[in-house]
């Protein structure tokens, strides 16, 4: 096992407690944002525990009280783009391989989606077999606001939300949802109050009972869905053939919340919104592995465009919250550019 996983100052803490393998993301000041070394530690640990009979299940948590994981280390991605290195591409390849390993893990993989769980945080949780939310959960894929798209297999998940248009709404707006909506839309399974999480972990570690049975003893009724009241206008407004049509329909809608959603999408990167629209629209017919490979190609392609660099600069580096997108509007996005991004030739593959 990776030695960096030991010690209180390590970015990821791992231990085996009873029959429970525990992985704790340990960068609370950064809301446990995933760095390259963290991805390596997590994946190496999962590999080591896969055939270890002493580990019956895996539990993933985040340190601190702000969230499981705010996403990937986008400052490192920005640095790689600015310096012209392979840092971003290398990170994505390793991250997406980890997402695949989580989705196909042969033992119960229990993710505590407490607090902020966004972007890469969704990748280390929602692909797992047991997704637990609390009253503080805020789950989302906000990538269109930085010039990217919902990666880590996010479009695979969003495309499979059964309620019409909801997956596209979450993808384009980047708005987070709470515990009730996460369960309603299939992004989480069980609600357990935050104060009972450690008791749940101890119960799983100390019991020979089936993990499902233990979790069921701690499960409570989730909060009511907040987005359910908007499902009618979401179903109608997101029925357009292009992202531009969707935004126009939202802005012309009688419902004030629909108009606000249209205005919100219009502040995002037009290129990212258009790429995301196409990715969600087509991901329903793809396997997770196919989506992750496409994420890798598209990440390489979109990082060659100016918006990802500009979006991270505006939101995280300079924090002026005033990105200058190029192209500046949805109508100016060349469909041929979107096609080229989604089909970017990449000699490397996530799964070789």
């Amino acid at each position: 096992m990776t030695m960096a996983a030991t010690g209180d100052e390590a970015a990821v803490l791992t231990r085996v407690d009873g029959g429970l393998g525990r992985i704790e993301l340990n960068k609370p000041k950064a809301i446990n944002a995933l760095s390259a070394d963290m991805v390596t530690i997590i994946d190496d640990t999962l590999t080591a525990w896969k055939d270890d009979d002493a580990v019956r299940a895996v539990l993933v948590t985040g340190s601190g009280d702000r969230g499981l994981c705010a996403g990937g280390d986008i400052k490192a991605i920005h640095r790689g783009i600015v310096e012209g290195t392979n840092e971003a591409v290398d990170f994505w390849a390793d991250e997406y391989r980890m997402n695949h390993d989580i989705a196909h893990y042969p033992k119960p993989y229990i993710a505590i989606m407490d607090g902020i769980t966004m972007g890469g945080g969704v990748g280390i949780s929602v692909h797992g077999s047991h997704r637990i939310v609390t009253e503080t959960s805020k789950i989302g894929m906000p990538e269109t606001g930085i010039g990217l798209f919902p990666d880590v297999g996010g479009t695979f998940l969003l495309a499979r939300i059964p309620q019409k248009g909801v997956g596209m709404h979450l993808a384009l707006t980047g708005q987070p949802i709470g515990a009730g909506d996460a369960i309603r839309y299939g992004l989480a399974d069980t609600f357990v109050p935050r104060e009972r999480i450690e008791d749940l972990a101890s119960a799983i570690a100390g019991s020979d009972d089936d993990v499902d049975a233990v979790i069921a003893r701690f499960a409570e009724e989730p909060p009511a869905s907040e987005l359910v009241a908007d499902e009618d206008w979401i179903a109608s407004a997101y029925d357009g053939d292009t992202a531009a049509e969707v935004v126009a329909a939202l802005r012309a809608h009688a419902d004030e919340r629909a108009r606000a959603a249209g205005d919100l999408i219009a502040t995002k990167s037009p290129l990212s919104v258009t790429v995301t629209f196409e990715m969600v629209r087509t991901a329903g017919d793809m396997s997770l592995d196919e989506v992750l490979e496409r994420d890798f190609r598209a990440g390489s392609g979109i990082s060659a465009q100016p918006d990802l660099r500009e979006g991270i600069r505006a939101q995280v580096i300079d924090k002026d919250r005033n990105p200058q997108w190029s192209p500046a509007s949805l109508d100016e996005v060349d469909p041929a550019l979107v096609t080229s991004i989604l089909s970017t030739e990449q000699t490397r593959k996530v799964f070789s």
Side-chain angles (χ1 to χ4, degrees), residues 77-88 309:
I77 291 172
H78 184 269
R79 181 175 62 247
I81 294 172
V82 170
E83 296 176 358
T85 69
N86 289 326
E87 188 170 2
R309 175 175 176 169

Side-chain angles (χ1 to χ4, degrees), residues 284-314:
D285 295 325
M286 301 171 67
S287 69
L288 175 60
D289 289 5
E290 289 171 336
V291 168
L292 289 169
E293 287 285 8
R294 183 174 68 174
D295 285 354
F296 187 53
R297 295 194 306 272
S300 301
I302 208 165
S303 62
Q305 304 300 317
D307 275 8
L308 181 55
R309 175 175 176 169
E310 170 65 6
I312 298 174
R313 179 207 64 76

Side-chain angles (χ1 to χ4, degrees), residues 126-344:
V126 182
H127 292 304
S129 59
H130 297 72
R131 294 90 49 90
I132 295 174
V133 284
T134 75
E135 67 275 15
T136 70
S137 295
K138 292 183 179 180
I139 300 160
M141 298 293 294
E143 285 79 6
T144 54
I146 60 166
L148 192 59
F149 53 85
D151 64 336
V152 299
T155 57
F156 174 87
L157 300 166
L158 295 170
R160 283 163 173 74
I161 292 177
Q163 290 83 357
K164 184 179 178 182
V166 169
M168 189 68 78
H169 172 69
L170 297 178
L172 299 188
T173 63
Q175 288 185 303
I177 55 176
D181 283 323
I183 291 174
R184 176 172 176 80
Y185 300 125
L187 302 179
D189 307 301
T190 308
F191 175 80
V192 176
R194 171 185 267 187
E195 64 181 13
R196 302 200 72 197
I197 292 300
E198 278 306 314
D199 290 340
L200 169 63
S202 297
I204 295 172
S207 174
D208 292 328
D209 290 348
D210 179 79
V211 166
D212 290 326
V214 177
I215 293 175
R217 295 202 294 269
F218 287 82
E220 296 188 11
E221 188 71 20
S225 166
E226 297 179 9
L227 205 55
V228 64
D230 297 334
E231 287 178 5
D232 285 346
W233 65 254
I234 288 174
S236 61
Y238 285 88
D239 197 32
D241 292 329
T242 67
E245 287 181 12
V246 166
V247 171
L250 287 166
R251 286 178 141 175
H253 205 282
D255 194 299
E256 180 181 357
R257 289 167 298 185
R259 297 195 299 274
D263 291 343
L264 177 61
I265 296 170
T267 69
K268 311 297 184 180
S269 159
L271 178 60
S272 291
V273 167
T274 308
V275 167
T276 296
F277 181 88
E278 182 63 18
M279 294 178 86
V280 174
R281 189 183 68 80
T282 54
D285 295 325
M286 301 171 67
S287 69
L288 175 60
D289 289 5
E290 289 171 336
V291 168
L292 289 169
E293 287 285 8
R294 183 174 68 174
D295 285 354
F296 187 53
R297 295 194 306 272
S300 301
I302 208 165
S303 62
Q305 304 300 317
D307 275 8
L308 181 55
R309 175 175 176 169
E310 170 65 6
I312 298 174
R313 179 207 64 76
Q315 300 296 341
V316 179
I317 307 298
D318 297 338
K319 298 183 180 180
D320 60 31
R321 308 290 194 265
N322 185 33
Q324 301 301 303
W325 303 125
S326 178
S329 71
L330 288 169
D331 291 335
E332 296 175 67
V333 177
D334 184 355
L337 175 58
V338 175
T339 300
S340 71
I341 289 171
L342 295 180
S343 58
T344 298

